Amino acid sequence: MSGQVSLRGLLPCLRCSGLQKVVWIPAASFHGTLHLRGEHKVDQIGYLRQRGIDVLRKPEINKGMAFSLAERQILGIHGLLPPAILSQDSQVKRLKANLNKYDDPLQKHIYLSTLQDRSEKLFYRILKEDIENILPIVYTPTVGLACLSYGLIYRKPKGLYVTVHDLGHVYEILCNWPAETVKAIVVTDGERILGLGDLGANGMGIPVGKLALYTALAGIPPDQCLPIMLDVGTNNKALLEDPLYIGLRHERIRGERYDALIDEFMRAVKKRWGQDTLIQFEDFANQNAYRLLDKYRTQYCTFNDDIQGTAAVAVAGLIASTRVTKKRLSEYTFLFQGAGSASTGIANLLLRALIDSGLPEQQALEKIYLFDIHGLLTQDRPKGSLSESNAKFAKSGVPNMTSLDEVVEFIKPNAIIGAAGVAGVFSERILKAMASYHERPVIFALSNPTSYAECTAEQAYTHTQGRAVFASGSPFSPVEYDGKVYHPSQGNNSYVFPGIALAVTQFDIRHLPESFFLASAKYLAEMVSDHDLAEGRVYPPLSHILQVSIKMATQIGGFAYRENMALVYPEPIDKEQHIRDGIYSTDYENFVPNMYEWPDVAYPDHKGPRKF
Ligand code: NAI
């Protein structure tokens, strides 16, 4: 056979694999066949019209050395790769070996980020397979280090930057984004990045990381996700003086222009990608976070993960704890150490949960105590010193107490929840007191990072003789106490936000009212097995998170249809199957389906595909 081969017969369309009749195509000009526009079974990808080196430069399709011989020939990349053909499994082994060579988590983060730029499927497979170890590298705590040195480690643009100087042109900028279908956006203005404060445009690491989790933990296809930085400047002096800083070099613009930018941005998203595009606000400072949530929550499909995601996860843990304590939630008294956004968000959702369980609002309010830097929140506080969202928890008729020991002794709470970033404040004395009041005291040390935790898992179990129901904000290793191994749970927001996003993107949910977050808390609590509880967990193991997200999205989908909030019509009968059909697969696509034979012109003796 010479190099002059031709193809004829039924050949699959490279977009949808649907067969079509082809009379004669000289192989030399063969780029794959495509159905006429509109006839595809799946209107998905158009990139296979590309050939040559560009195929290797596109992370969405690049398989590296896993391209088969036939694919290399069809796509015009034969010779551009070493001759060996590797399976994805071998590639994963090689990448893990390389990753394990680094001790520094930031180096691991950079390595994975460049992998994401090279081959998306490989990146997500590694993430998905080893979620417990890779999550802290891709997201917190390492993403914080990445944001701190974003200017230095910046390699390739990821996501979209919209600045306050683009006012009047935001829609045009969104039109520069190449994807026609964006279903989920994570947006930040970089003002309160984790516990690190104002990092300006360097905060882009957060939406980028969060959306990687949308795909890894919920299977939302990466091309439907868009990270956005709204750059209005920064008040971080060190960044303003840093020659490598990637953002606008002036102080934050606030007030009318700030609000006009956010307004125009929201309208532009709706115009470009539709009303049902999910817009997740992330790491906005307290003064804007609540305000913007209240302003947009009924007009757009939006939520704030720092407020609502955190609350849903914490309340889920509290609900799950009732199966250990054998008490109803309405029988608990709760003490929050901290009255900031995390505590207030949790307390408000908890209030809803108590009311939902049948408790009158006034009685429910009496069960929730908040303690901040000035002591217990009481009605004696000067007028205006409490925010609208936490003033309702201020107590009357109780003594003013400024020591946590005193308050614990006075209230004898069933659950203490720490979210004030005061390391070690759950002292041996407090933990022992909790154990003396209750058979199974609930101790949640939610402050991040680990060094800020109110107590360690070991302290919680040791000072309560192993009776504490413990969860933390940062991960703790299993603890052995008195011959039993306890697995402390991490109250990680990842248990809720990916499932919510998956439901929104699969069922086109219009808005996300607070009832969705209470529902997600209940669904998550139901997913905690008796086995998990026996091991000391109040959440499912992190390694099960993809399944948790799918189940969560299925339940939320059902809830959305009952609330008349989902737009996908007709309503899918088997919602779980509907979701599973749409989720991202990390398996490589076969660009030359096996069903037709490919002439092997370059390797005549190749024992692979049969020749024509
Ligand atoms: P924030 O700044 O809004 O609130 C902090 C609160 O702590 C304020 O009410 C302040 O008065 C209080 N506080 C400070 N020092 C205190 C002291 N010595 N005694 C008593 N109260 C004191 O902060 P935010 O956003 O509420 O976060 C607080 C902590 O919760 C952080 O460490 C954060 O990492 C953690 N967090 C954990 C989450 C999770 O586990 N999923 C989610 C969100 C926050």
Side-chain angles (χ1 to χ4, degrees), residues 12 68 590-598:
S68 69
N590 188 356
F591 298 126
V592 184
N594 293 333
M595 67 180 104
Y596 84 93
E597 302 145 304
W598 177 250

Side-chain angles (χ1 to χ4, degrees), residues 12 62 138 190 205 218 282 286 324 336-337 378 416 432 453-454 463 513 529 569 581 588:
N62 182 23
V138 173
E282 189 72 33
N286 219 354
V324 181
F336 286 85
Q337 206 262 344
T378 66
I416 42 173
K432 284 187 168 161
E454 286 73 14
H463 299 315
S529 68
Y569 181 84
D581 289 346
Y588 285 141

Side-chain angles (χ1 to χ4, degrees), residues 379-404:
Q379 302 281 359
D380 296 339
R381 291 269 176 108
K383 252 197 158 16
S385 65
L386 294 177
S387 72
E388 206 183 308
S389 49
N390 63 18
K392 57 175 158 306
F393 298 105
K395 299 285 173 288
S396 56
V398 295
N400 281 322
M401 289 174 274
T402 50
S403 126
L404 190 67

